[in-house]
Amino acid sequence: GTGPTPGTRNSAPEVAEFSETASGITRTYRAPRSFTPASDADLANPPDSDWLHWRGTPGAQGYSPLAKINTGNVHRLSLAWVWGMEPGTSQPSFLVRDGVIFLPNQANVIQALDAAGGTLLWEYHRALPESLRTGLIRNLAIYEDTLFLASRDAYLVALDARTGVVRWETVIEDPELGYSNSSGPIVADGKVINGINGCTRLNEESCFITAHDARTGRELWRTHTIARPGEPGGDTWGDLSFEQRGGGDVWIPGSWDPDLGLVYFGTAQAKPWVAASRGLTVQDAALYSNSTLAIDPDDGSIVWYRQHVPGESLDLDEAFEQILIDRNGQRLLFTMGKHGILWKLNRETGEFLAHKESIYQNIFDFIDPQTGVVRYREDIASAGIGDWVSVCPSTAGGHNWPSMSYSPEVNALIVPLSQSCLEIQGRPMVLEPGSGGTGAARRYSDMPGTEGRLGKLAAYEVDTMEELWSVQQRAAFLTATLSTGGGLVFAGDLDRYFRAYDVRNGEVLWQTRLGTSVQGFPVSFEVEGEQYIAISAGVGGGSPRGVPRAVTPEIRHPQNGNALYVFKLPSR
């Protein structure tokens, strides 16, 4: 990568000018004077004004307690500034510390911006092969005065948060074997913990989660998400050797409970997608795919796991955000995957507590209310290579990477959902080292009973798991939700609308229309006493965009225009 490039500032916080000399070239850049390192205590209990984790809190709640923007004045929300982002696939979540935004741009550009005015402070470019420049990086992590990037070429990179200068970098695994990153790491107890992806190619390393020392980059442990023969769970892959076992990617960052001393990650489905293409049946659970893993950050041991859908066979993974909530003396974990089922677990033990079906599904003909054990329809369970299977929902979800959030004001999770259906056909695959892939054909259609309304936004009370309200519309939702202490929830969609809803009933209180589809993770922060709401517009991505292209082709938007939009109330 290259070092920072010059930037100018004309708004608080103040900046100081520095220079560096490398390879005979001197670069001048500006860095914030007021930057305060993010300590372990800050990460465990973030200041209200900052956004120190990809979803704001270590428990991934997507909640900001800031309340200066509220139900009574949100109609006055107006644009403060816009920053044009790099072209390419864009689904960013960004961090905010001491009035500085740390923004990932698609695959290889990281920028620091003045959060109040949008001025560039520094910029880091990572040199990547052409084949990797079309991907994305969703998030960064921070510890003390260091930012951490898990790169597309399977490196972990540490940047000086003040200047963007590389402090260290280390290769996680050989990108020539197909390894990559789409989501970044989290930091827990001084360890940078990251889940790899790109695990469709079969090889002896399989898929894994690693921890690295935040100050040196040294790898501390490596935990495989695919069980090895002879180890616990190793007998759930039939007669396949370890080298023939694919999948178990980690698409989304984990969560951290500093009190319990555990981190939680979701894992994706086994590869190839269809069980018959893997040489297995749905009775072969294929651990630890489609699971929530509770991991000890000290040594990487799996303290408990919960496999939500054993032997998954439809490309419907359960690999998304793990939301941690303390309620009535219970330490709870909530997660939802593409099946659209909200799972409620005891996060100390992994015990199943309850579930809620959020949309129409016809995949399982039985879900045990006491254990949460699912049973596939018979035709799905018996499907062979070449058989078409028709199911709802599709690979867009249910629920996908646009994360839900928790609102303590109404004790509810607000979830962006997608309503469409899928036909899938497994194809023959060669299962040998160096080969691999997803191995399926797919077709998409409307979901029965929805009248073509692909997008659904719904609130679920966490004690009863009952739906409090929902909003349904033709356009798919393509952002996470952001809940705030002002009684609001923010979300954006394919049709370029970004809206503020009343978290009590789903009423639209404010809306605006951006330059292209609204896509990413909304964030709230405070600078010099003013609250801001920020969201990105962007293009590119997988099923959450591909399915709407097939099902709602009339919803048009520009195929470029990646940008960060920042809003605030007009100054008095």
Side-chain angles (χ1 to χ4, degrees):
T2 62
T5 56
T8 59
R9 289 275 309 224
N10 57 12
S11 60
E14 294 182 351
V15 297
E17 188 172 282
F18 297 83
S19 30
E20 65 163 346
T21 301
S23 303
I25 300 173
T26 299
R27 298 182 178 91
T28 301
Y29 49 92
R30 296 177 182 270
R33 280 199 184 100
S34 61
F35 183 84
T36 306
S39 65
D40 287 298
D42 289 330
L43 293 178
N45 187 22
D48 293 351
S49 58
D50 290 342
W51 195 266
L52 297 184
H53 300 268
W54 74 288
R55 294 296 285 145
T57 66
Q61 292 184 354
Y63 172 74
S64 170
L66 297 176
K68 291 181 179 178
I69 300 170
N70 53 55
T71 55
N73 61 22
V74 68
H75 64 280
R76 299 173 53 230
L77 202 61
S78 60
L79 186 65
W81 55 268
V82 180
W83 175 259
M85 296 174 62
E86 297 289 315
T89 301
S90 185
Q91 302 167 1
S93 174
F94 58 89
L95 305 180
V96 185
R97 178 64 164 173
D98 279 349
V100 178
I101 288 174
F102 300 103
L103 177 68
N105 281 249
Q106 48 97 359
N108 66 330
V109 179
I110 309 300
Q111 295 168 328
L113 304 169
D114 166 21
T119 302
L120 178 67
L121 300 177
W122 58 254
E123 185 173 76
Y124 165 79
H125 284 252
R126 183 165 186 81
L128 290 176
E130 189 68 33
S131 61
L132 296 178
R133 294 177 191 171
T134 57
L136 79 157
I137 293 296
R138 288 194 180 96
N139 72 287
L140 306 167
I142 191 169
Y143 180 64
E144 296 179 340
D145 59 353
T146 307
L147 288 176
F148 302 98
L149 159 70
S151 69
R152 284 281 293 162
D153 56 345
Y155 274 71
L156 189 62
V157 184
L159 304 176
D160 187 310
R162 293 183 176 90
T163 65
V165 172
V166 175
R167 287 187 163 168
W168 54 257
E169 63 177 41
T170 185
V171 64
I172 301 173
E173 193 47 79
D174 185 357
E176 294 298 320
L177 296 176
Y179 290 107
S180 185
N181 291 291
S182 62
S183 292
I186 63 171
V187 174
D189 294 329
K191 301 173 184 69
V192 187
I193 305 175
N194 182 73
I196 202 75
N197 59 51
C199 304
T200 58
R201 194 184 305 180
L202 303 177
N203 63 70
E204 62 183 12
E205 286 302 316
S206 188
C207 223
F208 51 83
I209 298 167
T210 56
H212 295 256
D213 185 284
R215 294 191 176 96
T216 67
R218 180 173 63 91
E219 184 173 311
L220 302 174
W221 50 257
R222 178 173 296 211
T223 298
H224 285 89
T225 58
I226 300 298
R228 295 173 180 266
E231 296 180 353
D235 58 354
T236 62
W237 287 83
D239 295 329
L240 296 182
S241 68
F242 187 63
E243 293 81 2
Q244 293 176 307
R245 304 177 182 193
D249 311 64
V250 177
W251 297 113
I252 294 295
S255 301
W256 173 42
D257 185 332
D259 295 326
L260 285 179
L262 293 174
V263 294
Y264 304 88
F265 283 84
T267 61
Q269 73 284 75
K271 306 292 193 308
W273 286 330
V274 176
S277 300
R278 300 193 290 267
L280 302 174
T281 71
V282 296
Q283 282 72 44
D284 296 302
L287 287 171
Y288 295 96
S289 64
N290 261 25
S291 299
T292 291
L293 304 181
I295 295 174
D296 186 333
D298 289 336
D299 59 12
S301 59
I302 298 175
V303 177
W304 59 257
Y305 73 90
R306 169 76 189 188
Q307 190 174 43
H308 304 289
V309 182
E312 199 283 319
S313 193
L314 301 167
D315 183 26
L316 299 179
D317 42 334
E318 298 277 341
F320 305 109
E321 70 278 15
Q322 314 288 310
I323 294 188
L324 313 184
I325 299 171
D326 293 336
R327 185 72 181 164
N328 298 327
Q330 286 186 304
R331 301 186 186 208
L332 304 174
L333 182 149
F334 294 85
T335 190
M336 180 187 285
K338 291 184 182 179
H339 298 90
I341 299 170
L342 180 62
W343 305 106
K344 180 179 182 178
L345 307 178
N346 179 317
R347 74 173 182 271
E348 294 185 79
T349 65
E351 176 192 1
F352 170 82
L353 298 176
H355 77 282
K356 175 68 175 180
E357 297 183 41
S358 64
I359 58 168
Y360 170 72
Q361 71 86 15
N362 61 7
I363 296 168
F364 308 119
D365 59 18
F366 178 70
I367 304 175
D368 191 314
Q370 302 302 316
T371 65
V373 171
V374 300
R375 185 179 68 200
Y376 271 130
R377 273 175 15 211
E378 177 54 35
D379 62 316
I380 299 172
S382 61
I385 292 172
D387 294 337
W388 282 97
V389 176
S390 179
V391 298
C392 302
S394 79
T395 55
H399 184 58
N400 209 294
W401 66 260
S403 302
M404 54 187 161
S405 62
Y406 174 63
S407 170
E409 280 74 29
V410 292
N411 190 39
L413 293 162
I414 299 86
V415 190
L417 299 160
S418 186
Q419 301 181 126
S420 59
C421 297
L422 165 75
E423 291 180 277
I424 187 169
Q425 178 197 55
R427 294 174 173 175
M429 299 292 294
V430 176
L431 301 180
E432 61 184 29
S435 69
T438 52
R442 299 177 297 184
R443 299 191 292 245
Y444 304 105
S445 59
D446 284 338
M447 180 175 284
T450 64
E451 299 177 344
R453 293 174 296 181
L454 195 66
K456 178 178 178 180
L457 188 70
Y460 296 93
E461 209 276 343
V462 302
D463 293 338
T464 65
M465 301 286 277
E466 292 303 311
E467 185 176 290
L468 300 179
W469 55 262
S470 69
V471 174
Q472 298 186 59
Q473 61 181 43
R474 180 69 167 157
F477 287 98
L478 286 180
T479 74
T481 58
L482 166 69
S483 302
T484 74
L488 300 168
V489 59
F490 291 85
D493 66 31
L494 179 71
D495 202 22
R496 301 167 38 222
Y497 282 102
F498 183 48
R499 295 185 173 98
Y501 301 83
D502 190 321
V503 77
R504 298 169 298 178
N505 53 30
E507 178 186 356
V508 176
L509 301 178
W510 170 87
Q511 68 180 27
T512 189
R513 213 169 189 193
L514 306 187
T516 191
S517 51
V518 193
Q519 179 166 284
F521 296 80
V523 165
S524 186
F525 57 89
E526 186 176 87
V527 181
E528 295 181 349
E530 289 193 286
Q531 182 183 356
Y532 294 78
I533 304 291
I535 184 58
S536 58
V539 297
S543 291
R545 291 188 68 93
V547 174
R549 277 197 298 270
V551 179
T552 59
E554 79 283 2
I555 298 179
R556 305 297 299 274
H557 53 80
Q559 294 302 305
N560 53 33
N562 293 350
L564 179 65
Y565 292 77
V566 181
F567 301 88
K568 70 180 186 68
L569 297 175
S571 300
R572 289 190 178 88

